[in-house]
Amino acid sequence: MSKPEHHGTLSRRAFLVGLAGTAVTFAFAPGEGTAEQSGSGPFEPTIWYSVDRTGIVTVNITRAEMGQHIGTAVARIVADELEVNWSDVRLSAVDPIRSGAS
């Protein structure tokens, strides 16, 4: 039994697949003005650290430093994972009460 040939016709399934692919593409496309805004500030993939345009990594420490050197330990781990020189790492003690975090 041979398949019927449909040259130039579009099936409903093909249309829906194309529509879903287009929707996904536009969902991840940058919005208007995003290209200009992305170059102005540091790259912040998480709330825990950021990387500025010169390569300086700033690690945000939210826990109190009471002699355990938790800030240094976390910063060393981030520097190791990002393969950044230790001289390019900065610590930022974040006050969770003032920043609105709990």
Side-chain angles (χ1 to χ4, degrees), residues 1-80:
M1 181 175 219
S2 65
K3 287 185 168 183
E5 295 185 26
H6 298 286
H7 295 290
T9 61
L10 183 65
S11 71
R12 187 175 4 180
R13 179 174 291 172
F15 175 75
L16 290 175
V17 168
L19 183 65
T22 303
V24 168
T25 300
F26 282 118
F28 291 110
E32 186 176 322
T34 307
E36 295 117 18
Q37 293 172 356
S38 65
S40 62
F43 173 63
E44 297 183 41
T46 68
I47 61 170
W48 303 109
Y49 70 92
S50 64
V51 182
D52 68 3
R53 294 177 74 62
T54 61
I56 302 295
V57 177
T58 303
V59 180
N60 299 320
I61 306 300
T62 59
R63 301 290 181 226
E65 188 72 54
M66 299 172 72
Q68 299 93 347
H69 302 289
I70 189 67
T72 305
V74 171
R76 286 275 187 184
I77 292 169
V78 170
D80 185 45

